[in-house]
Amino acid sequence: MLQSIDLSGNRISGKILTILGGFQSLSVLNLSKNSFSEAIPEQLGDLITLDYLDLSHNNLSGEIPKSLVALSHLHYLNLSCNKLSGEIPRRGPFANFTAASFVDNEALCGKFILPVFAFTSILIVVILIMMKRQKNNVKTQNTILDVVPTVEHRLISYQELRRATNDFSEANILGVGSFGSVFKGILSEGTLNAR
């Protein structure tokens, strides 16, 4: 008894053979990552023991066969990345599948597609709003920087500090903190500084 067929990633082209529906003991069918085209055969609904079905990353078109609703043992389904159209069935095992099973198809509709579309639309709007706010913040920061005058500080050597504070005289101490003492000093051009 054949229980598993995995032909994934083999670049097989053409249509999926209807004869596969005759392997009623099959529990795994993986035909993903090939170039299968045309419709999913109705006969796959005859695989009554099928637990795993992956037809993703092909060129399958048409509607999802209603016969697949009868696959009561089906726990994993991936039909993503095809060209499927029509409504996603809602009964049988399809009631348990998530949107991930159907993404990236041309014209599928049903219980998953609208929420995925709505979520994607909301996400895009939020990103655009955040980008606009960030752009406005950058403009505001540039405006603030343009208004605030820039102050040029000149470098003062250690020797000049010694002279300005009278060799760090205790008479020029303004205060003492945990990082050291603060001295009053008069620089050579006559400006008063605290260092």
Side-chain angles (χ1 to χ4, degrees):
M1 269 195 309
L2 187 61
Q3 292 184 337
S4 178
I5 295 176
D6 186 346
L7 298 173
S8 61
N10 281 301
R11 300 183 193 156
I12 302 171
S13 60
K15 63 182 183 177
I16 297 174
L17 298 177
T18 58
I19 195 169
L20 287 174
F23 296 102
Q24 294 195 351
S25 61
L26 206 60
S27 62
V28 174
L29 179 58
N30 187 351
L31 303 176
S32 65
K33 299 176 186 160
N34 283 295
S35 295
F36 287 112
S37 57
E38 298 188 33
I40 299 171
E42 284 282 341
Q43 290 81 355
L44 293 187
D46 296 336
L47 300 173
I48 55 174
T49 60
L50 196 64
D51 180 61
Y52 182 102
L53 177 60
D54 192 343
L55 303 176
S56 65
H57 296 89
N58 280 291
N59 293 311
L60 297 170
S61 58
E63 294 188 0
I64 298 171
K66 303 292 184 231
S67 63
L68 298 184
V69 170
L71 300 177
S72 59
H73 296 285
L74 194 61
H75 290 99
Y76 179 84
L77 174 70
N78 191 350
L79 301 177
S80 63
C81 303
N82 279 293
K83 298 176 181 175
L84 298 172
S85 59
E87 188 172 354
I88 298 169
R90 295 182 182 161
R91 297 182 334 211
F94 286 86
N96 300 319
F97 298 133
T98 65
S101 296
F102 308 101
V103 295
D104 203 14
N105 276 285
E106 287 186 352
L108 277 180
C109 60
K111 66 177 182 176
F112 299 115
I113 303 307
L114 183 58
V116 169
F117 177 74
F119 175 76
T120 305
S121 299
I122 290 170
L123 184 63
I124 289 170
V125 168
V126 168
I127 290 170
L128 290 173
I129 290 171
M130 289 175 60
M131 288 173 55
K132 183 172 174 89
R133 282 188 180 169
Q134 185 177 17
K135 186 178 176 183
N136 288 341
N137 284 345
V138 169
K139 284 182 181 177
T140 304
Q141 288 173 355
N142 288 343
T143 306
I144 291 171
L145 291 176
D146 292 341
V147 172
V148 175
T150 57
V151 177
E152 293 291 324
H153 296 285
R154 89 177 176 90
L155 294 176
I156 302 169
S157 69
Y158 179 76
Q159 294 301 326
E160 195 170 355
L161 278 176
R162 278 188 56 215
R163 267 181 276 162
T165 60
N166 198 15
D167 211 13
F168 299 103
S169 167
E170 286 192 25
N172 289 327
I173 290 181
L174 295 174
V176 178
S178 61
F179 289 105
S181 303
V182 178
F183 291 88
K184 172 181 75 169
I186 300 175
L187 297 173
S188 58
E189 71 265 359
T191 39
L192 184 64
N193 278 301
R195 298 271 183 220

